Amino acid sequence: MKGLKIAVIGGGSVYTPELIAGLISSELELPAESVVLMDIDPERLEIVGGLAKRMASSGAKFRLELTTDRRQALAGADFVIAQLRVGGMAARILDETTPLKFGVVGQETTGPGGFGKALRTIPIMLDIAEDMEELCPEAFLINFTNPSGIVTDALLRHNRVRSIGLCNVPMGMRHMIAGWLDADPAEVELDYVGLNHLSWVRGVRSAGGDAFDRAFSAAVARAQQGEFAFSASLLETLAMIPSYYLRYYYQHDGILAEQKRAARTRGEEVREIDGELLSLYADPSLATKPESLNRRGGAHYSTAALALISAIHNDKREVHIVNVRNAGALPDLPREAVVEVPALVDGDGVHPLASKPLPLYVRGLVQAVKVYEELTVEAAMKGDDRVALRALLAHPLVPSFDSAQGLWESIKEANRPYLPQFFTSP
Ligand code: G6P
């Protein structure tokens, strides 16, 4: 059987050693023959790629190549993993600080911060997907690039490549809940529903049996001890286990106050962590993924990616939680909208599994955020100020038209180099 070519766009990410470690361990039945790390930043590529090469030199069965040439990386690929950050940390920090001036949480994927990030990222991801149509039309695009749900929505609406959006949150929740149940994560299945970074677990099975009540009681007990991100009364009100990103909705004002008091944003912290990681990676005696990579938030991302690739390649008919076109799985949302739900994975890709309707008390939030996401994709494609304003106005965290206008002016200006679609005259 022909070995696989896996291309990683944004291969200079500090997360890459986690992916390389996963690829080296042969557990996943992945006959990778060639792995190409591509990045536009040659220095990062050399440092991260250097560590990746040292890791691969003992025991990897694949050839590892580094390149700054995207087309070379994509040519003939079977799987493309996208994990890039348009504008780097500087742009993230602006995404996190601008909304604070308008009384809205500053977060890189949720709310107006995620909006700016989406507008910068969608055109670049579509360029990559267009290259894929030409250079590897049968390949799957596994997208981690944030905001992953919106970016995947844009890809599936405007390009023919087989794109799948992935996030580490579902895998993280599975591990967390398995820990509560003292179960093997591989034996735990979640009835998981919503959008990327806007999701709830409403059912749990462990080793084939219903384990939701036990998992839910464990969550409530932890909440009572102050060991969970949400209060026991919120959990009891929801009767579901919310994912971490719902804090930005359910605890909006508290988080906003915390962020305003904080000496620095998460992006500023991450910039420091990344600097430390890169100096570790540059040490020629290091040949393994350092423990301190755990200080970044994306734990389990490589497990999610490689298990998904293996399920497709080996036609496993397994269930994975992915960002996929709804196609009627969630009756409360449009068929063409991208949702984050369990899907059956086989050699043809991902097929969302039919889901029960959303509980009434979260339906409005999910629908409103989906409308915002659709408008965001439209704004990114058209470079139309009016559509951008409509997107912000539709977002449940934006309190007024005045704030929407102020936000748009600031976001547009802060992202000027990355938003040519809004600055070219008609
Ligand atoms: C979570 C999210 C990812 C995000 C990461 C941020 O795991 O699911 O989408 O990229 O956190 O972590 P960071 O270390 O960059 O704050």
Side-chain angles (χ1 to χ4, degrees):
M1 205 188 340
K2 175 186 161 288
L4 298 175
K5 174 174 178 180
I6 302 178
V8 185
I9 309 298
S13 159
V14 297
Y15 283 117
T16 296
E18 186 183 317
L19 193 67
I20 300 295
L23 279 164
I24 294 172
S25 83
S26 53
E27 279 165 32
L28 287 161
E29 304 148 276
L30 263 187
E33 185 177 286
S34 144
V35 175
V36 186
L37 303 181
M38 181 270 153
D39 206 283
I40 56 169
D41 180 339
E43 278 169 46
R44 275 186 88 120
L45 187 63
E46 200 185 309
I47 297 175
V48 176
L51 171 59
K53 285 203 154 169
R54 293 191 298 280
M55 292 173 73
S57 67
S58 55
K61 295 200 183 78
F62 51 85
R63 199 172 61 247
L64 182 66
E65 287 167 54
L66 313 181
T67 182
T68 52
D69 181 340
R70 189 167 89 197
R71 292 177 63 85
Q72 184 189 324
L74 296 178
D78 299 289
F79 291 93
V80 175
I81 298 176
Q83 47 179 44
L84 49 102
R85 186 185 286 284
V86 180
M89 261 334 139
R92 171 174 177 171
I93 293 163
L94 286 170
D95 291 340
E96 291 170 338
T97 46
T98 306
L100 300 180
K101 299 181 194 139
F102 298 90
V104 184
V105 286
Q107 215 286 320
E108 64 158 343
T109 59
T110 299
F115 176 69
K117 187 169 171 63
L119 296 187
R120 296 195 290 278
T121 308
I122 287 170
I124 307 286
M125 286 301 301
L126 280 165
D127 271 0
I128 295 172
E130 272 165 35
D131 280 355
M132 286 181 65
E133 282 181 338
E134 183 193 332
L135 299 164
C136 52
E138 297 302 315
F140 287 90
L141 172 54
I142 313 285
N143 178 56
F144 277 106
T145 302
N146 267 328
S148 178
I150 308 181
V151 168
T152 307
D153 197 303
L155 286 166
L156 288 173
R157 278 175 208 267
H158 296 286
N159 182 276
R160 286 188 304 274
V161 157
R162 297 189 282 187
S163 298
I164 306 168
L166 210 50
C167 177
N168 66 330
V169 166
M171 185 67 86
M173 290 193 81
R174 183 165 156 188
H175 279 253
M176 176 179 76
I177 292 172
W180 295 345
L181 296 173
D182 205 11
D184 175 356
E187 301 262 291
V188 171
E189 289 163 58
L190 305 181
D191 175 6
Y192 179 108
V193 75
L195 309 179
N196 180 231
H197 289 185
L198 190 89
S199 55
W200 297 261
V201 169
R202 59 180 179 181
V204 178
R205 296 186 72 77
S206 179
D210 191 336
F212 183 75
D213 289 348
R214 262 198 307 139
F216 188 73
S217 308
V220 171
R222 274 165 181 77
Q224 280 160 345
Q225 306 297 316
E227 290 164 10
F228 193 51
F230 301 95
S231 67
S233 59
L234 174 62
L235 290 176
E236 275 152 6
T237 306
L238 291 171
M240 300 189 284
I241 305 170
S243 67
Y244 176 86
Y245 279 80
L246 280 158
R247 293 162 68 237
Y248 300 111
Y249 294 89
Y250 293 143
Q251 301 163 4
H252 180 270
D253 293 356
I255 291 186
L256 175 64
E258 248 173 54
Q259 289 184 337
K260 284 186 164 168
R261 278 196 307 270
R264 53 187 193 161
T265 71
R266 173 68 184 160
E268 288 168 306
E269 249 169 60
V270 161
R271 190 166 53 187
E272 190 180 298
I273 300 172
D274 280 9
E276 290 167 19
L277 284 169
L278 288 172
S279 22
L280 283 177
Y281 292 4
D283 174 354
S285 65
L286 182 77
T288 50
K289 175 187 81 151
E291 267 308 296
S292 50
L293 179 53
N294 299 340
R295 291 167 65 201
R296 293 297 310 275
H300 304 301
Y301 103 102
S302 71
T303 320
L306 299 176
L308 179 68
I309 293 177
S310 172
I312 296 172
H313 177 68
N314 297 304
D315 192 21
K316 283 193 175 164
R317 300 186 60 78
E318 281 174 358
V319 176
H320 290 243
I321 299 168
V322 293
N323 285 268
V324 58
R325 191 180 281 130
N326 179 24
L330 253 186
D332 311 291
L333 291 171
R335 293 185 65 82
E336 63 282 8
V338 163
V339 293
E340 190 168 84
V341 291
L344 184 74
V345 184
D346 63 15
D348 290 330
V350 290
H351 316 281
L353 297 170
S355 189
K356 287 183 305 207
L358 293 164
L360 197 53
Y361 49 90
V362 303
R363 189 199 293 168
L365 177 58
V366 176
Q367 288 175 333
V369 173
K370 193 67 236 180
V371 166
Y372 145 79
E373 292 189 352
E374 279 186 43
L375 288 165
T376 302
V377 172
E378 189 187 337
M381 297 303 294
K382 292 187 176 156
D384 182 329
D385 288 80
R386 207 172 288 281
V387 181
L389 256 180
R390 286 177 186 151
L392 284 168
L393 195 59
H395 199 290
L397 294 180
V398 174
S400 66
F401 184 60
D402 278 352
S403 350
Q405 266 185 316
L407 276 160
W408 176 230
E409 276 167 29
S410 305
I411 292 170
K412 187 175 165 185
E413 202 41 52
N415 287 284
R416 187 182 263 270
Y418 305 107
L419 301 183
Q421 70 272 46
F422 286 97
F423 285 97
T424 41
S425 40

